[in-house]
Amino acid sequence: MSQQDLAGLAAAHLRRPGLVVLTGAPGAGRTTLLRRVAATAAGPVHAGGGLAMLATVPALALSRAVKARLPAHDVPLLAEAVRSRVRTGLLVLDDLQYADPATLAALPHLATRIRVVAALRTPHRIPADTLAALREAATAWLDIAPLDPQDAADLARRTAGQLDDAAVAAVVARAGGNPLAVTALARQAGAGRGTPDTDVDQVAYAIATALADLPRTARTALAALGLLGRPAPVALLGAGAAALTEAGLVVQSGDEVVPVSAYIAETAAGLLDADARAELHRVLATATPDAEAARHLAAAGDHEQAYRRALSAADRTSGGDRADLLLFACHLPGVNPVARVRIAAADALLAAGRPHAAARVLTAAGPLGVEADVLRGEALLQAGDPVAARAAVTPIPDAAGATVVAARDRILLLADLAGDAAAALDTAEKIAARYPSPPPGVAAALAAVRAAHRAPGWERELAAAAAEGADPLTGRWSAWLLVEHLSADGRLAEAAAAARTAAAACAADLAYSWQTRFLAVADWADVLQGLSAAAPATGAAGTSAPGGGTADDAVRHSADLADRALPADARAYAVAATALVEADTGLLAAARGRLATPDGHPATAWVAREAAWLDGQPDRAAHQPATPGVGLLTGLHHITARWAAYDGGAGARSAYASAFDIDGAAPAIPAGLPTAARRTLTAWATGTGFTAAAESWAGTARREQIRCLLAAGLHDPDPQRAVTALLQAEHLADEAGLVVLAGRARRGLRRHHVHRDTRSPRSGSNLTRRETDVLRLVAAGEPTRRIAGQLGISAETVDTHIRSGMRKLGARTRTEAAALALTQLEDGR
């Protein structure tokens, strides 16, 4: 395939968001092909790429493209920052083989949101697992084939028009279809030097022989560009810059010189012997900033000087850059960093969210002091190893400084809480006695223990720790515990309010990962309550702050979060909220698709079972997950299991036992459940009390209130009470837009021979609510039989509603009617 055809194929793949990777050998024409693809792209083009000497600089390839500093320490935030700048444009990344790990990790996230085309040289040193992730995320992985003989001959003639057919044939034969080799060899042949007949690498020979014609100053300047891995000021390259420009090997952009081919510049550097290359690195170290100079000195083998320059650079920067420089200094061969440098590195790495690297930096042959022990314990605790964290800080004596002892006690307490909650309570009492006015970190740990045991006032203490401004990470961690405990206790309104307060604080600090976690769990709490998120009001990092609106708004808001590059917790809650609303409103196919890939989170695990139950598949809904969660989620899992067993043919009292293959009476109700969940499970165990259980859900979770009323209607032996419960369930479900639960209520009413005109007032589109519900399900791809089952009406009634909708909308087919109905709904908002 010609390059023109390949460019057309790549452009075709880039008509929608996706990742196209162009791979080829050195000199294969990757950069030229990228330019062709970019030239045909609609919208703005954001071009960047990796640089050889700066391959370890986080997010450099992406920063060059969007011309902005990016948050490389947080891959989801990095991907979102790039997406918000590129939007409908095209992101072009050259020399992916020099891209840093953060850039490579962000590409799979970006591939789902924007158009990306990248060039990757082969061979390269990208790790196998990273390469596999890129291949899986790529829309297309296109190999640049060598030029065919005719195209290679045409290129040779364009390069050196004076060559005769025999010379062109010789160039083509030796070049092996490599455009760079064709160009270099044709120029060489045009100068009367002929072509070689040795069995050496074609491209390397072409570059080496071409560079042999340059003055020494030009060869040194080109080698310097290769070692720098970036454009360089004219003054740095000296007299050699002019000769390189004349030879067409570089171009000038303002006051800087840019190599036409980075590979040629790298090859020029590779042609130097080891001593000459080390000497050139030393020269460049004298002319570059400390951060860059440190890497040149390390390449030259002068690790002591590299260490000093890295520390000097770290003193003048902050955040992730500081962490990277200190980590670099600590890992230089033959250098034994002093304790204060290791401590500073660990502190910076922890602040950047890299606890594993922090722990490694503090691993040394000898003791580093109590401050280092505390930092290592903190790093191990954040890395999920409470046993090792406890071992790291246990030797710290009480005679150590007050700040160190407080940090030690905090880590010991949290390590106990992670492993043995009862032991943590004893430890908390001792620590509380030691600190009449505990420091913020200790106060937050004490509040966490009291919250785990639901001690009186635990909410106030966690809220106070969350509001503490001295340590943002402690505050966010405390706020997250507060939200999770409130949710587990079924206090969903309070959980949503606390989550939105915390999200607003995170937005002010640009803490994207934490902000999205809080927004997602707030949406989840709203959906469980039977409330809905409002039409999004854009906030920091492109997220939204909901308040109150329609069920469709809830779907859009949570789906918008789910489509972003998110931490695992945030994505799970966003997916769970969206899928539950979709399932409850009858869009079961959409919910099934969203939940197709299990993520192991208790919220999505329950919604998957609940969607299966709503879809009339009790056998799938009865499957108990490995991690049912705690508190409210545990109760919801058990309630759904009872419903699944009942629908599968078990009676009310034996429903739970049937669901879990348990003989005899239903087992004990799990401990730690909210009152409403416990009353509901008690009603299932006894076969009575569903109406009272429904009242306990009022104001907490409307859909569970409806399910209790449905159970009351199905199990109450008094027909009048049963009909009353079913009518109330139908009313609440219709009011909340829970069409599947409303359908179950109507099916129950029909068993009592209750048939009413349930049509709602006509909307502005002249469609009844029932017609709208039916056409929404048609748009979701549901067949007539499934629509009838979900809405609790007959298949004939479904067809009647479809025909009525078609007539009112002037549609010729049911599909057209569904599309028009959805369009009018969107316009009506």
Side-chain angles (χ1 to χ4, degrees):
M1 183 180 293
S2 69
Q3 282 214 353
Q4 184 174 353
D5 292 340
L6 198 61
L9 179 59
H13 282 295
L14 291 167
R15 290 174 184 164
R16 59 184 62 85
L19 169 64
V20 173
V21 179
L22 308 171
T23 66
R30 302 183 311 278
T31 301
T32 301
L33 191 55
L34 282 180
R35 292 194 190 106
R36 285 186 176 179
V37 174
T40 63
V45 174
H46 303 266
L51 296 172
M53 191 58 199
L54 302 181
T56 58
V57 176
L60 176 68
L62 296 171
S63 295
R64 293 177 66 205
V66 299
K67 296 179 172 53
R69 289 193 66 181
L70 297 171
H73 64 283
D74 186 326
V75 171
L77 177 56
L78 170 61
E80 182 58 22
V82 174
R83 184 205 66 82
S84 66
R85 288 168 170 83
V86 175
R87 295 184 179 272
T88 59
L90 176 66
L91 178 63
V92 179
L93 297 178
D94 202 356
D95 290 326
L96 205 58
Q97 69 275 9
Y98 298 135
D100 59 284
T103 295
L104 296 175
L107 285 179
H109 296 289
L110 292 171
T112 64
R113 304 291 291 150
I114 62 173
R115 298 179 298 151
V116 187
V117 59
L120 173 62
R121 191 200 69 202
T122 53
H124 52 73
R125 295 185 180 180
I126 296 178
D129 54 344
T130 303
L131 187 65
L134 290 175
R135 281 189 175 274
E136 184 177 353
T139 306
W141 195 278
L142 306 177
D143 295 321
I144 303 174
L147 298 176
D148 62 39
Q150 186 57 53
D151 288 339
D154 290 342
L155 176 59
R157 289 190 179 95
R158 291 196 302 270
T159 303
Q162 72 274 33
L163 294 179
D164 58 25
D165 291 344
V168 169
V171 167
V172 170
R174 294 305 297 159
N178 185 283
L180 178 59
V182 169
T183 301
L185 291 170
R187 284 177 179 166
Q188 185 184 48
R193 295 188 56 186
T195 55
D197 56 5
T198 55
D199 191 23
V200 297
D201 179 78
Q202 310 279 0
V203 177
Y205 179 86
I207 295 173
T209 53
L211 297 183
D213 289 337
L214 294 172
R216 181 183 179 86
T217 54
R219 294 199 301 272
T220 302
L222 190 58
L225 284 170
L227 293 179
L228 282 169
R230 62 170 175 81
V234 175
L236 178 61
L237 301 180
L244 291 175
T245 303
E246 184 178 354
L249 293 171
V250 300
V251 293
Q252 284 194 237
S253 176
D255 294 331
E256 289 190 324
V257 173
V258 183
V260 172
S261 167
Y263 177 71
I264 292 179
E266 294 160 19
T267 302
L271 293 173
L272 299 174
D273 61 42
D275 290 340
R277 192 159 52 251
E279 182 57 33
L280 186 53
H281 273 300
R282 290 190 185 92
V283 171
L284 291 173
T286 65
T288 52
D290 281 340
E292 218 174 323
R295 301 185 186 278
H296 284 297
L297 289 166
D302 192 346
H303 299 133
E304 288 291 343
Q305 282 296 327
Y307 175 75
R308 295 188 184 94
R309 296 292 286 273
L311 296 185
S312 176
D315 286 342
R316 294 193 296 275
T317 189
S318 60
D321 291 342
R322 173 178 169 80
D324 286 333
L325 284 164
L326 290 171
L327 183 63
F328 170 80
C330 289
H331 286 169
L332 284 167
V335 176
N336 186 20
V338 297
R340 65 176 181 80
V341 172
R342 291 181 182 271
I343 290 170
D347 192 39
L349 289 163
L350 283 172
R354 300 167 64 183
H356 293 90
R360 287 195 302 271
V361 162
L362 293 172
T363 302
L368 297 174
V370 291
E371 188 177 352
D373 291 340
V374 162
L375 279 174
R376 188 162 185 271
E378 181 69 31
L380 292 167
L381 190 65
Q382 290 189 25
D385 191 349
V387 174
R390 164 177 280 282
V393 300
T394 297
I396 296 175
D398 291 341
T403 303
V404 171
V405 171
R408 176 203 67 183
D409 291 344
R410 173 182 174 276
I411 293 166
L412 289 172
L413 182 53
L414 294 177
D416 276 354
L417 184 61
D420 185 346
L425 199 58
D426 293 338
T427 306
E429 291 178 1
K430 296 173 184 175
I431 290 176
R434 183 179 299 164
Y435 297 97
S437 298
V442 174
L446 289 169
V449 174
R450 291 174 62 80
H453 291 272
R454 299 301 192 270
W458 67 266
E459 309 97 317
R460 239 181 4 262
E461 294 178 22
L462 268 186
E468 196 65 56
D471 182 0
L473 286 177
T474 297
R476 291 163 197 155
W477 172 76
S478 299
W480 183 253
L481 284 182
L482 175 63
V483 170
E484 286 204 317
H485 286 320
L486 289 172
S487 297
D489 289 355
R491 297 162 64 177
L492 298 173
E494 295 172 78
R500 291 201 169 89
T501 299
C506 293
D509 293 338
L510 299 180
Y512 171 82
S513 292
W514 280 104
Q515 181 195 7
T516 54
R517 288 182 194 177
F518 286 118
L519 286 175
V521 79
D523 281 352
W524 168 246
D526 279 347
V527 168
L528 285 180
Q529 289 179 83
L531 303 176
S532 56
T538 301
T543 54
S544 311
T550 67
D552 286 338
D553 291 330
V555 171
R556 282 199 300 275
H557 180 247
S558 290
D560 178 59
L561 275 177
D563 285 344
R564 296 173 184 269
L566 298 181
D569 276 333
R571 176 169 297 283
Y573 281 120
V575 168
T578 306
L580 184 57
V581 172
E582 288 172 334
D584 277 337
T585 54
L587 302 177
L588 289 161
R592 286 194 301 270
R594 199 175 294 280
L595 297 164
T597 305
D599 60 11
H601 195 280
T604 52
W606 172 68
V607 173
R609 300 177 68 211
E610 184 71 3
W613 173 72
L614 291 169
D615 201 16
Q617 302 179 60
D619 53 330
R620 290 183 57 195
H623 177 67
Q624 178 75 345
T627 54
V630 295
L632 178 61
L633 270 176
T634 298
L636 293 176
H637 274 289
H638 281 263
I639 291 168
T640 297
R642 281 164 163 81
W643 268 111
Y646 178 83
D647 285 358
R653 296 188 184 187
S654 60
Y656 180 67
S658 299
F660 294 99
D661 296 324
I662 299 170
D663 296 328
I669 294 169
L673 299 183
T675 300
R678 189 174 63 254
R679 286 180 179 173
T680 302
L681 292 174
T682 300
W684 276 103
T686 61
T688 186
F690 287 108
T691 303
E695 292 174 0
S696 66
W697 286 110
T700 300
R702 179 176 292 192
R703 68 182 315 282
E704 295 308 316
Q705 180 185 7
I706 294 168
R707 289 214 289 177
C708 281
L709 290 168
L710 288 173
L714 294 173
H715 297 110
D716 199 313
D718 185 315
Q720 185 175 353
R721 288 199 303 264
V723 168
T724 299
L726 290 169
L727 287 173
Q728 186 182 359
E730 181 193 32
H731 170 73
L732 290 174
D734 278 337
E735 190 177 65
L738 306 178
V739 297
V740 182
L741 292 179
R744 289 186 71 106
R746 279 186 276 277
R747 287 201 299 274
L749 287 168
R750 282 205 302 273
R751 293 173 187 166
H752 293 278
H753 308 291
V754 176
H755 300 279
R756 299 175 300 104
D757 183 1
T758 59
R759 291 179 296 174
S760 61
R762 295 182 184 275
S763 65
S765 68
N766 208 34
L767 294 174
T768 65
R769 183 194 298 171
R770 178 49 46 79
E771 289 164 352
T772 299
D773 288 342
V774 169
L775 290 175
R776 276 167 56 101
L777 294 175
V778 171
E782 298 288 3
T784 298
R785 179 185 57 79
R786 291 174 67 85
I787 295 174
Q790 290 172 35
L791 298 182
I793 56 181
S794 68
E796 291 77 12
T797 304
V798 171
D799 289 334
T800 299
H801 286 310
I802 293 173
R803 286 194 297 271
S804 177
M806 289 170 60
R807 176 177 53 81
K808 292 176 181 180
L809 296 169
R812 290 172 297 181
T813 66
R814 59 188 278 157
T815 303
E816 183 183 1
L820 289 171
L822 290 182
T823 301
Q824 290 193 2
L825 283 173
E826 292 291 337
D827 292 344
R829 292 191 193 102

